[in-house]
Amino acid sequence: MLNRRHIRVKVMQSIYAFSGSASDDLSKPQKFLLFSIDNMYNLYLLLLSLLIEVQKRAETDLQKKQNKHLATQEDKNPNRKFVNNELLHLLRGNKQLQEQLEAHKINNWQLDDEYVDVIFKAVIASDLYATYMQSRTSNFKEDKEFIIDIFKDVIAPNDKLYDYIEDKHLTWLDDLPTVNTTILKLLRKVKPTVSEGYFTPRLYKDLDDKQFAVDLFRKTILNTSKLNKEIEQRTKNWDADRIANIDFVLLQMAICELKEFPSIPVKVTINEYLEIAKEYSTPKSSIFINGILDKLVKEYQEANTLNKVGRGLL
């Protein structure tokens, strides 16, 4: 689920927050970094559980209509296609997913059920729903394609859901694109019968990624003075006040990676920080950062101080 670029973003945010702190204790900001990353999994579970709750809400809606005093024929014999959606039932009946929802105490939609109503009403008001409900029968393929389209075009872009996520955890806003992409990938690949753990993927690809997050954070902070000198020597013609704080942090991290992480290719490091700068800093930041890093790499190569191991890492 979690990729290296998103790890770098999390580290960037933690370093940026730490730079405004008067404390030299790394334990609390490191703990916050790992909590922020771990909390991304809760967002994933929250959004998957929303699909389940919308299906439950649809079921409740049909039952209420059937129990009306003056129920129409349509109320008595409703189109149950959405309620019976095979993919939603697969999610609802997945044991591992239910266990994770309980373990992580994902009960938001029981406490804030008005947002389930908001999404349910948005779903049934959509053209996608109207087209899907033109028939009363379907198969797994049609059910899956409908849920994918609904998630992508109705749920993920919903402004009220976005505001809710922002209010719950500010760090979730940066996680949202990655989590949405993960969910869509899982939904697109899902089959009528899924393997154990399919809907509960690992947060980190492996333990190395978690260690990378910790090492990048600690090594950047602990080498701040050296890294700042490297930057200052290459930006003598720049007014320090004109360099965005985020750019400074990204340069610190990038130089740290170049010098302290021998297995990461130079091109990967530079490309990753340029992409992060484009998203999180000023329009010209990526050009500025690219110029500094390109110059540094050439100097390191000439001085033979670029410690990289393995083929194709320079």
Side-chain angles (χ1 to χ4, degrees):
M1 181 190 296
L2 189 65
N3 57 49
R4 284 282 177 108
R5 181 177 299 173
H6 204 68
I7 290 174
R8 289 179 175 94
V9 169
K10 290 292 189 183
V11 173
M12 174 196 74
Q13 292 168 337
S14 297
I15 292 174
Y16 185 81
F18 181 81
S19 63
S21 169
S23 173
D24 292 329
D25 183 11
L26 294 184
S27 59
K28 286 185 178 180
Q30 180 177 312
K31 186 177 180 180
F32 173 78
L33 166 65
L34 294 177
F35 167 78
S36 176
I37 293 174
D38 289 342
N39 200 33
M40 177 181 169
Y41 190 68
N42 288 338
L43 177 59
Y44 165 79
L45 292 173
L46 183 72
L47 292 178
L48 268 194
S49 68
L50 179 58
L51 287 173
I52 295 171
E53 293 304 319
V54 168
Q55 189 265 348
K56 290 180 181 177
R57 173 67 176 79
E59 201 168 45
T60 302
D61 190 61
L62 288 189
Q63 290 172 352
K64 286 181 178 178
K65 288 179 179 178
Q66 287 177 318
N67 293 333
K68 284 195 306 186
H69 179 63
L70 297 174
T72 65
Q73 188 59 36
E74 174 60 26
D75 292 333
K76 294 176 181 178
N77 185 28
N79 186 347
R80 299 183 60 84
K81 188 174 179 179
F82 180 55
V83 169
N84 292 336
N85 184 283
E86 291 185 42
L87 177 51
L88 293 181
H89 276 276
L90 193 62
L91 281 169
R92 187 172 176 177
N94 188 268
K95 182 180 178 182
Q96 291 78 27
L97 178 57
Q98 292 303 321
E99 288 174 350
Q100 286 297 301
L101 291 173
E102 291 178 15
H104 289 260
K105 298 179 181 179
I106 305 299
N107 59 358
N108 298 59
W109 309 126
Q110 286 74 44
L111 301 173
D112 302 314
D113 60 348
E114 66 270 25
Y115 289 92
V116 177
D117 282 343
V118 166
I119 297 302
F120 171 69
K121 289 174 181 176
V123 168
I124 63 175
S126 68
D127 291 338
L128 288 168
Y129 181 83
T131 301
Y132 176 70
M133 297 296 285
Q134 284 178 356
S135 66
R136 284 178 171 253
T137 60
S138 63
N139 53 38
F140 186 82
K141 183 175 182 294
E142 184 186 355
D143 285 351
K144 180 173 82 167
E145 289 175 352
F146 171 67
I147 296 303
I148 290 170
D149 289 341
I150 282 293
F151 185 83
K152 177 167 57 76
D153 297 335
V154 178
I155 297 177
N158 186 276
D159 289 336
K160 290 185 179 179
L161 179 61
Y162 183 90
D163 291 341
Y164 176 79
I165 288 170
E166 182 181 21
D167 288 342
K168 285 298 175 183
H169 290 285
L170 189 58
T171 59
W172 273 355
L173 291 185
D174 292 307
D175 299 333
L176 196 55
T178 300
V179 170
N180 284 339
T181 299
T182 298
I183 291 174
L184 283 172
K185 283 182 179 179
L186 285 174
L187 294 179
R188 285 177 178 134
K189 293 180 180 179
V190 70
K191 296 179 180 179
T193 303
V194 296
S195 59
E196 184 175 334
Y198 182 83
F199 289 119
T200 53
R202 290 180 299 181
L203 178 59
Y204 294 96
K205 183 178 68 175
D206 50 43
L207 291 176
D208 288 345
D209 275 2
K210 185 173 184 178
Q211 192 60 49
F212 171 70
V214 173
D215 289 346
L216 181 59
F217 174 75
R218 294 188 66 86
K219 287 181 179 182
T220 302
I221 293 292
L222 294 173
N223 289 288
T224 295
S225 297
K226 292 180 181 179
L227 296 170
N228 286 350
K229 286 181 182 179
E230 294 269 21
I231 297 169
E232 289 164 5
Q233 288 172 3
R234 278 84 185 174
T235 56
K236 290 180 180 179
N237 296 328
W238 285 77
D239 183 350
D241 292 336
R242 289 180 58 206
I243 302 175
N245 292 335
I246 289 291
D247 292 355
F248 217 87
V249 171
L250 291 176
L251 281 170
Q252 289 173 334
M253 292 170 62
I255 297 169
C256 179
E257 241 182 71
L258 290 171
K259 302 194 78 171
E260 303 291 336
F261 294 80
S263 65
I264 299 178
V266 170
K267 287 183 179 179
V268 169
T269 294
I270 294 177
N271 288 339
E272 288 288 87
Y273 287 101
L274 294 185
E275 291 303 314
I276 294 171
K278 288 175 184 176
E279 186 172 353
Y280 288 90
S281 197
T282 68
K284 295 183 179 180
S285 291
S286 61
I287 299 172
F288 167 69
I289 290 172
N290 186 50
I292 301 298
L293 294 181
D294 187 58
K295 186 178 180 180
L296 268 173
V297 169
K298 288 177 181 177
E299 290 178 10
Y300 292 157
Q301 288 173 334
E302 290 173 0
N304 200 28
T305 57
L306 198 58
N307 179 29
K308 294 292 179 180
V309 295
R311 292 183 178 182
L313 296 182
L314 297 182

